[in-house]
Amino acid sequence: MTATSPLPDDARCPCLSGETYGACCGRFHAGLGVGPGAAGPDAVTAPTAEALMRSRYAAFAVGDADYLLATWHPSTRPADLDLDDDVAWRRLDVVATSAGGPLDRTGVVEFVAHFRSAETRERGTLHEVSSFVREDGRWFYVDGEHRG
């Protein structure tokens, strides 16, 4: 599955970093490709666990299931991923990070993602503590523990 609603590079990035999509998460979405090891030697990948988490949130927001699967660690990655077209991701709040820097092997990011149902207009949040691992210079999402 490819992005269902790609953003122009000059649009505000869904991760709310303050950067444009092309200068922020869009460059990761465009540079990674699909599947393990698909990134070429010149591909731009997220340098930290938080950057990967933000780019994955943005991938949910634009409907880019390919990127989500490509950045999911093979040990926990599902065979396929169907995104809910009814969910509109509205805001991301990073609560805390632990390790996950450019030289770390593991990292943890706690976040709250705010969403709204396009059909019912109901609002909700996803509060998660996500675990990441860096292998061969690339960060991967491993799993998450839902809170609240």
Side-chain angles (χ1 to χ4, degrees):
M1 173 181 220
T2 57
T4 56
S5 22
L7 295 176
D9 282 349
D10 61 352
R12 185 175 78 162
C13 191
C15 83
L16 301 180
S17 66
E19 297 288 337
T20 63
Y21 178 66
C24 192
C25 297
R27 65 192 170 122
F28 303 137
H29 296 171
L32 188 58
V34 180
D42 297 326
V44 177
T45 60
T48 66
E50 181 180 342
L52 180 62
M53 187 278 307
R54 287 180 172 280
S55 71
R56 287 176 54 82
Y57 168 83
F60 274 105
V62 301
D64 192 345
D66 288 342
Y67 181 81
L68 292 166
L69 288 170
T71 57
W72 209 313
H73 194 269
S75 68
T76 57
R77 178 179 27 216
D80 60 1
L81 184 62
D82 287 323
L83 300 180
D84 189 347
D85 292 333
D86 183 50
V87 175
W89 296 97
R90 298 293 190 192
R91 188 176 92 220
L92 174 66
D93 298 324
V94 176
V95 176
T97 60
S98 176
L103 302 178
D104 292 319
R105 293 184 50 107
T106 62
V108 175
V109 180
E110 180 178 359
F111 68 90
V112 178
H114 302 260
F115 63 89
R116 187 170 199 169
S117 166
E119 183 178 321
T120 66
R121 308 301 289 165
E122 289 183 36
R123 298 170 193 235
T125 59
L126 169 66
H127 186 177
E128 182 174 303
V129 177
S130 297
S131 298
F132 298 86
V133 64
R134 189 169 63 87
E135 295 179 353
D136 298 322
R138 288 179 54 199
W139 283 102
F140 292 93
Y141 169 79
V142 177
D143 58 22
E145 178 185 319
H146 292 214
R147 299 276 171 99

